[in-house]
Each structure stands twice: as structure tokens, then as C-alpha cells.
Amino acid sequence: MGSENVKLVSWELSPVGRRVEWVLKLKGVDYEYVEEDIFNKTNLLLQLNPVHNKVPVLLHHHKPIAESLIILQYIDQTWNQYPLFPQHPYQVALARFWGTVADKLAKTSYDAMCRSGDEQEKKVNEAVEIMDKLEEEIMGKKFFGGEKIGYVDIAFGWIPWWLPVWEEVGSMQIVDPLKHPAISAWTTNFLTHTVIKDNLPPRDKLLLYAHGRKREFSSALSG
Amino acid sequence: MGSENVKLVSWELSPVGRRVEWVLKLKGVDYEYVEEDIFNKTNLLLQLNPVHNKVPVLLHHHKPIAESLIILQYIDQTWNQYPLFPQHPYQVALARFWGTVADKLAKTSYDAMCRSGDEQEKKVNEAVEIMDKLEEEIMGKKFFGGEKIGYVDIAFGWIPWWLPVWEEVGSMQIVDPLKHPAISAWTTNFLTHTVIKDNLPPRDKLLLYAHGRKREFSSALSG
């Protein structure tokens, strides 16, 4: 225990921080968890990630790595058990591509939640258009990674748990079970996986935080 | 010639498209170049990159890969000559991290060019803050990759040639030779490399395009 010398600096409600936790657990890598107060960022974080000052940061033998998707790739290269990527370089490139889509789609969906009226509608339409492509991609598969959770599943891991909260707070719909039955089925597959269901933040805290962010955003606009 | 079965769909003035060309040339990989009319996107592009419809797209044995930084990683994995990344996984993670910074900084700088007044000032300050970090990173080195051009140099390859155009069109300064002497020295090292200097778009075309984009952006705001 602890012999791996791995420390994760993250924040309880962060969907990108959870990506790293899920992967460490899937691979069975022991790590120390350090909760960061993102409203009162510590000197530690500013020192570890001076360019963006964002969680998560992984420390391996005291050396920091930032950006969740890059951390996942580092972990996969360092601990070989439970590989996250397919074998062939072309399949690897496609997985990386969907990883960038996951980040852009998360940003668009979150922005949609914060906005209202025409601006919101525009963002929702953008998000739905990408969701339609994702529906084609997952159709007929249990996970994006095939029979088991892989890099792309982890990257889109915010859809099953965070997105319904954002949809509720923004009074909007991005995943439609009738239009996106395959994504809806994947959502269930993902959430019922032991490692995932035991490592999710409390829904009430997510709701509280999201409501707060939407209020802040509206008052910044009107203020 | 052409036996590699590599095709690059790109656009002459695209800084991210040039990344791929530079790397193919550094590695000596033969390829066919297909110029895409980005103002009149072809069905080919929509079919190759249905999620974002953006250049560049690399086709290897007719299979498409999108997103320039992902294409670079695929090329590096597929053709081993002239490796773009350092050996150690930790150094690889750092290189990938700077790659994401390169994309964000490019977006911030380009957005700054399009804007004016306080909005522009905010974007310029954001960009300068990242440029200050980059100055520390390159200090004392010929290239980010050490003695030769590597992944990080290619990722920031828009700084030496595109950024001065954006600065001129936006009447702003992001790289300051007095504050950023190491970046300025790197700019010269980069631009005088044979592969780079022979593969740059004409400056007058870049200027014309950038002026057009700034005008469009201003009229969209006032319209």
C-alpha cells in the first residue's frame, strides 16, 4: 500500500478528476487522495499546475502531471494491467479523437446550462448534434471500449451522472432516450459498473453547485 | 513514391494543417496533398471528419484521422524515424500537456485579434500570462525538444509565423522581445530550419485573411 507513490490532487465534484480515480481503481493502483478547495486554491496547486491552476493533478514520485486525458494516457503507459486503449495505432488515434470530443461536448453542455433563451438554444443544438454522432458510435456495443470500459468510456463518464444534473438546472434536454437509445443503454452499463457506481459524487451536492454556478453566471451578465 | 498511401487534406493558410506537413517532411514520409476549400467545404471533408468538419484530415490507407495533435501522435507511432517525443513516459506527458497549452494559447491570441477595447485587453493579458510561462520553459534550450525540433515545437509552430500577423491585424502585442527573449530566439531557430522555412504560407495571404476575419467579427457584433 502506498508503495506506488501516487498522489491525486482533485475536487470531489469534478467530473475530470473522477476520470483519474476510476482509472486508478480499474487498474488497482494504490494512491493517496488529496482534496483541493477549488474556491480557495492552495499554493500546492498553483505550484503543481502553474499554467492552468486546475484539478486534477497526479503526482507520481512527486512529479506532477496535469490535464485529465493526459494523466489517463500516462497511467496507461506506466501500469500495464487493464489496458485502456485498443492495440492498433489507428484505433488509438480514434480513441484519442473521441476524447477531445468528450471535452468539447462537456464544455458546450455546461455552457448551455449557464445560459438561457436563444443563446442556450444554440448551445443545446450544438450539443445535440454531437450527441447524434455519438449515438452512431456506441450503437451495438456495450461500451465504447467493446466488452469493457476503456479510455473513451472514461472520457464520456460525465454524461451518465453530471449531464442529468446540468439538464435539470438548465431546464434543457441534450440526451433524448428516444433519439439516443444506445447512449441511454450505455449510461446504464457504465453506471452499474462496480468501480463507477462506488466512485460518484453525491447528486445533491452536484445540484447545489450547478444551481450556484447558473445564478452566478446570470448575475454576472445582468450586473 | 506514394507507396506509403498517405493523403493530407488541408488548407494552405491553416497553422494546424502545417503541423502535419512539417512532421511528414521531417520524417521523410511521402504524401499526396489535397487542398480543401474551407469556404465551400466538400462532401469529402464532411465525410472524413463528420464531428467537426475541419482540416487537417490525414488519410492512411484510406482511413481518416482528424485533429492535428492526434495526427502527429499517430504519425510518430507509425513511422519511427525522427522521433517527435522524448523516451520517458513522464516527459511524454509533459510534451502532451504543452501541446494542449499550444492550442489554447492559439485560440486566445486569435480571439484577441478579433476583439477590441476591454475585451481585447483581457484576452491579450491571458495570452501574455501563458507566454510568460512558455518563456521559462524554453529558456536555455535551442528547441523545446532539445537540440532538434520535437512535438512541442511543432505544436507552437504558429507563434513564429502566424502570431505576428495576428498582432499586426489586432494592433496588439503578445510576444515582447524584451520580456520574452528566449521565445524570440526560439522563433528564429524554428523559422530558419530548412523544413519549416520552405513550408510556410505567403505572409500577404495570411494578412488578407486575418483582416477579413476581423472585419467579419466586428460586423457580426454590430449587425
Side-chain angles (χ1 to χ4, degrees):
Chain A
M1 296 290 279
S3 60
E4 309 272 22
N5 207 340
V6 178
K7 202 183 268 194
L8 173 63
V9 181
S10 189
W11 174 57
E12 187 188 12
L13 304 187
S14 165
V16 289
R18 291 286 169 172
R19 285 174 173 167
V20 180
E21 284 191 81
W22 292 330
V23 163
L24 289 170
K25 284 182 198 286
L26 283 169
K27 285 187 177 264
V29 176
D30 285 330
Y31 64 98
E32 184 192 334
Y33 180 85
V34 180
E35 176 75 5
E36 171 72 19
D37 179 358
I38 62 150
F39 303 99
N40 242 318
K41 283 179 182 169
T42 58
N43 280 335
L44 177 71
L45 188 64
L46 300 180
Q47 185 190 322
L48 292 180
N49 186 0
V51 181
H52 303 308
N53 308 328
K54 274 186 189 156
V55 293
V57 173
L58 186 82
L59 285 140
H60 188 206
H61 297 299
H62 311 286
K63 288 194 275 187
I65 306 166
E67 292 282 328
S68 67
L69 295 181
I70 292 172
I71 297 173
L72 300 191
Q73 294 176 65
Y74 174 81
I75 292 174
D76 201 46
Q77 237 185 320
T78 306
W79 292 277
N80 302 323
Q81 65 272 31
Y82 196 99
L84 297 178
F85 284 94
Q87 284 281 316
H88 193 278
Y90 181 71
Q91 300 300 330
V92 173
L94 289 189
R96 284 198 181 120
F97 173 76
W98 285 108
T100 67
V101 175
D103 275 358
K104 285 178 195 167
L105 181 57
K107 188 178 181 322
T108 307
S109 307
Y110 192 82
D111 287 353
M113 173 193 83
C114 291
R115 283 163 178 75
S116 52
D118 289 352
E119 272 195 37
Q120 183 180 61
E121 201 188 325
K122 191 170 160 251
K123 293 274 174 196
V124 168
N125 290 344
E126 264 175 59
V128 169
E129 208 172 296
I130 299 178
M131 207 56 86
D132 294 346
K133 308 284 180 192
L134 201 63
E135 174 72 13
E136 290 171 33
E137 184 62 20
I138 186 68
M139 210 174 281
K141 287 189 282 191
K142 185 172 180 192
F143 295 112
F144 291 96
E147 279 309 299
K148 61 191 201 53
I149 287 181
Y151 176 79
V152 180
D153 298 279
I154 297 289
F156 282 108
W158 55 271
I159 291 182
W161 195 246
W162 282 258
L163 183 60
V165 170
W166 302 344
E167 289 177 317
E168 181 177 333
V169 172
S171 310
M172 61 186 190
Q173 187 176 34
I174 290 173
V175 170
D176 174 346
L178 295 178
K179 257 184 83 186
H180 307 120
I183 291 175
S184 304
W186 168 78
T187 288
T188 310
N189 296 337
F190 189 78
L191 282 184
T192 50
H193 189 291
T194 332
V195 161
I196 308 303
K197 74 164 182 268
D198 292 345
N199 289 287
L200 293 170
R203 198 176 192 279
D204 54 345
K205 279 199 185 182
L206 285 180
L207 262 175
L208 199 67
Y209 175 71
H211 274 297
R213 289 306 298 264
K214 189 171 169 68
R215 264 197 309 274
E216 262 173 52
F217 190 87
S218 315
S219 63
L221 282 186
S222 62
Chain B
M1 298 290 279
S3 60
E4 308 272 23
N5 207 339
V6 178
K7 201 183 268 194
L8 173 63
V9 181
S10 189
W11 174 56
E12 186 188 12
L13 305 187
S14 164
V16 290
R18 292 286 169 171
R19 284 174 174 167
V20 180
E21 284 191 83
W22 293 331
V23 162
L24 289 171
K25 284 182 197 285
L26 284 170
K27 286 187 178 266
V29 176
D30 285 329
Y31 65 97
E32 183 192 335
Y33 180 85
V34 181
E35 178 75 5
E36 171 72 19
D37 178 0
I38 62 153
F39 303 98
N40 240 319
K41 284 178 182 170
T42 58
N43 281 334
L44 177 71
L45 187 64
L46 299 179
Q47 186 189 322
L48 292 180
N49 185 0
V51 182
H52 302 308
N53 309 329
K54 275 186 189 157
V55 294
V57 173
L58 186 82
L59 286 140
H60 189 206
H61 297 298
H62 311 285
K63 289 194 275 187
I65 306 168
E67 292 281 328
S68 66
L69 295 180
I70 292 172
I71 297 172
L72 300 191
Q73 293 176 66
Y74 174 81
I75 292 174
D76 201 45
Q77 238 184 320
T78 305
W79 292 278
N80 301 323
Q81 65 272 32
Y82 197 100
L84 297 178
F85 284 94
Q87 284 283 315
H88 193 277
Y90 181 70
Q91 300 300 329
V92 173
L94 289 189
R96 285 197 179 120
F97 173 75
W98 285 109
T100 66
V101 175
D103 276 358
K104 285 179 195 168
L105 181 57
K107 188 177 182 323
T108 307
S109 307
Y110 192 83
D111 286 353
M113 175 193 82
C114 292
R115 283 163 178 76
S116 52
D118 288 353
E119 270 194 40
Q120 182 180 62
E121 200 188 327
K122 192 170 159 251
K123 293 276 175 195
V124 168
N125 290 343
E126 263 175 60
V128 169
E129 209 171 294
I130 299 178
M131 207 55 88
D132 294 346
K133 309 283 181 194
L134 201 62
E135 174 72 13
E136 289 171 32
E137 186 62 21
I138 187 65
M139 209 175 282
K141 288 190 281 194
K142 185 172 180 191
F143 293 112
F144 290 96
E147 279 309 300
K148 60 192 200 56
I149 286 180
Y151 176 79
V152 180
D153 297 280
I154 297 290
F156 282 109
W158 54 272
I159 291 183
W161 195 246
W162 282 258
L163 183 59
V165 170
W166 301 344
E167 289 178 316
E168 182 177 330
V169 171
S171 309
M172 62 187 189
Q173 187 176 33
I174 291 173
V175 170
D176 174 346
L178 295 177
K179 258 183 83 188
H180 307 119
I183 291 173
S184 304
W186 168 79
T187 287
T188 310
N189 296 336
F190 189 78
L191 282 184
T192 51
H193 189 289
T194 330
V195 162
I196 307 303
K197 74 163 182 270
D198 292 343
N199 289 287
L200 294 170
R203 198 176 192 277
D204 54 345
K205 280 201 185 180
L206 285 180
L207 262 175
L208 199 69
Y209 175 70
H211 274 298
R213 290 306 298 264
K214 189 171 169 64
R215 263 196 311 272
E216 262 174 49
F217 190 88
S218 314
S219 64
L221 281 186
S222 62

